[in-house]
Amino acid sequence: MTASHSTQASFRYIDPASIIAGKKPWAKVDTGEGRSFSRLDISRPVYDAGPRADEFRNVDSTGFAFHTYPSRVDAKAVLTDGPVVRGDYYAEVERALRDKLVDGDKIKRVIIFDHTIRVRDPTAARQPVQSVHVDQTPAAAEARVRRHAGEDADELLKGRYQLINVWRPLEHAASDFPLGVIDWRSASKDDLVKVDLLYPNREPDFDGDDRGKERLPSADSLASTEGYHVAGETFQVLPRDGHRFYYVKDMSPDQVMFIKCFDSESEDVGGRKGVAGFTPHTAFSDPNTPPGAKPRQSIEVRCLVFY
């Protein structure tokens, strides 16, 4: 595969020297800095997938894909995280999956269970994450099915299912802190380190909806797990010289990126050879970002896709 070499950038991996034998690493969901491990900044070339768009349409081959799929939902309404997100915008995301996934016509059901709006602003509770990671481990993906599919879970787990993030810039191009992804073909499951994902404790009457309730944690409490509980499991990624990074330079709000986090039929879990099972990804600082570029704004929607 060929693509235009676009830039050289620094990527943050988990530092193997900071992993303590017998102790599982942890990271907090509400901050990019609260964690039990340190990270390494490693310079890598990043290739612009945009000029070779047709080569990046199938998540089964590379783990990610991007498509032009304009939204009819007002971006300002999405940024306020109002009801339109879980209503009209979620419906749009499901249509995009059915329209653009290679096997979209075979989809039996889509369950959209979560979303995150990120704004590069020091006061924002969720900001772009500079850490090479995968959102869900296989165990966490199955747990998501059991949590969100209810009594249908056992039957749905008998067939193929995927966990796919659908990512889109909001209001303007993502020139500032774009999203970088690693081509699955250049990665290995041996690169992956399981990490407990910690969520802040809520009041007893908490309804399970974090929207509007997230707060930026105090810098003094980043190293402490007090007030948090384990509610998920993700992968951090170890450095590998062969990792091949891609991004879509100046990706526009009319485009979406599919990021596969899990596939029950992937080669990585004993399924079909050549079927991607995960996509390491991260925000990164592009040294070619023009001065005065607007701060990144984006939404990622997390979807369970059943066939």
Side-chain angles (χ1 to χ4, degrees):
M1 176 175 291
T2 60
S4 301
H5 178 199
S6 181
T7 190
Q8 187 88 11
S10 181
F11 292 91
R12 291 181 179 171
Y13 290 90
I14 187 171
D15 184 353
S18 69
I19 301 172
I20 302 172
K23 289 190 176 182
K24 190 175 181 181
W26 57 262
K28 295 179 179 179
V29 71
D30 54 353
T31 170
E33 300 303 323
R35 60 188 185 277
S36 66
F37 51 90
S38 58
R39 295 182 296 197
L40 289 174
D41 287 347
I42 298 179
S43 181
R44 300 280 193 225
V46 195
Y47 299 88
D48 182 8
R52 302 279 183 173
D54 289 342
E55 297 178 12
F56 299 94
R57 300 299 195 209
N58 186 356
V59 294
D60 286 350
S61 298
T62 57
F64 73 98
F66 71 97
H67 302 276
T68 298
Y69 205 89
S71 175
R72 296 182 180 180
V73 181
D74 180 63
K76 285 185 171 59
V78 174
L79 281 166
T80 63
D81 209 359
V84 71
V85 178
R86 296 199 178 209
D88 293 346
Y89 191 73
Y90 275 20
E92 260 188 5
V93 167
E94 179 170 346
R95 286 196 297 272
L97 291 166
R98 291 181 181 275
D99 289 347
K100 295 299 185 179
L101 284 174
V102 170
D103 292 325
D105 60 335
K106 299 176 184 177
I107 293 174
K108 294 180 179 178
R109 185 174 175 184
V110 176
I111 297 176
I112 299 178
F113 63 86
D114 191 15
H115 70 271
T116 301
I117 295 168
R118 299 189 190 276
V119 179
R120 196 174 71 81
D121 181 322
T123 65
R126 290 293 193 99
Q127 301 176 45
V129 175
Q130 285 187 274
S131 180
V132 185
H133 69 286
V134 179
D135 286 16
Q136 310 277 344
T137 65
E142 180 178 337
R144 282 291 181 184
V145 176
R146 296 195 178 279
R147 177 178 175 183
H148 300 290
E151 62 184 15
D152 297 331
D154 285 338
E155 190 62 29
L156 289 171
L157 286 168
K158 293 177 183 178
R160 183 186 187 185
Y161 69 98
Q162 301 166 324
L163 202 159
I164 295 176
N165 290 358
V166 180
W167 188 89
R168 180 194 296 274
L170 293 172
E171 289 199 309
H172 51 260
S175 304
D176 170 74
F177 276 76
L179 185 69
V181 293
I182 293 177
D183 188 326
W184 171 78
R185 294 168 296 183
S186 69
S188 165
K189 61 184 179 180
D190 294 336
D191 302 337
L192 307 177
V193 179
K194 292 179 181 178
V195 174
D196 279 336
L197 192 60
L198 307 187
Y199 282 73
N201 296 339
R202 299 300 188 193
E203 298 301 322
D205 60 350
F206 176 54
D207 61 4
D209 187 350
D210 273 318
R211 292 176 300 166
K213 304 181 182 72
E214 294 178 328
R215 298 292 182 269
L216 193 63
S218 165
D220 296 334
S221 65
L222 294 179
S224 171
T225 60
E226 184 177 355
Y228 286 78
H229 64 282
V230 177
E233 186 180 60
T234 69
F235 284 127
Q236 287 287 312
V237 180
L238 295 167
R240 176 187 287 268
D241 287 343
H243 284 162
R244 190 171 178 88
F245 279 92
Y246 289 93
Y247 78 136
V248 179
K249 183 172 176 56
D250 301 324
M251 184 169 167
S252 85
D254 284 344
Q255 296 175 297
V256 291
M257 186 179 291
F258 296 163
I259 304 165
K260 189 192 285 191
C261 296
F262 176 76
D263 189 331
S264 65
E265 285 195 2
S266 74
E267 175 181 324
D268 304 293
V269 291
R272 290 184 287 142
K273 185 172 179 59
V275 174
F278 60 91
T279 311
H281 56 282
T282 178
F284 70 98
S285 178
D286 181 357
N288 292 333
T289 300
K294 294 180 179 179
R296 202 211 59 205
Q297 301 178 153
S298 61
I299 182 169
E300 61 217 54
V301 179
R302 300 177 183 90
C303 313
L304 292 164
V305 182
F306 300 94
Y307 298 87

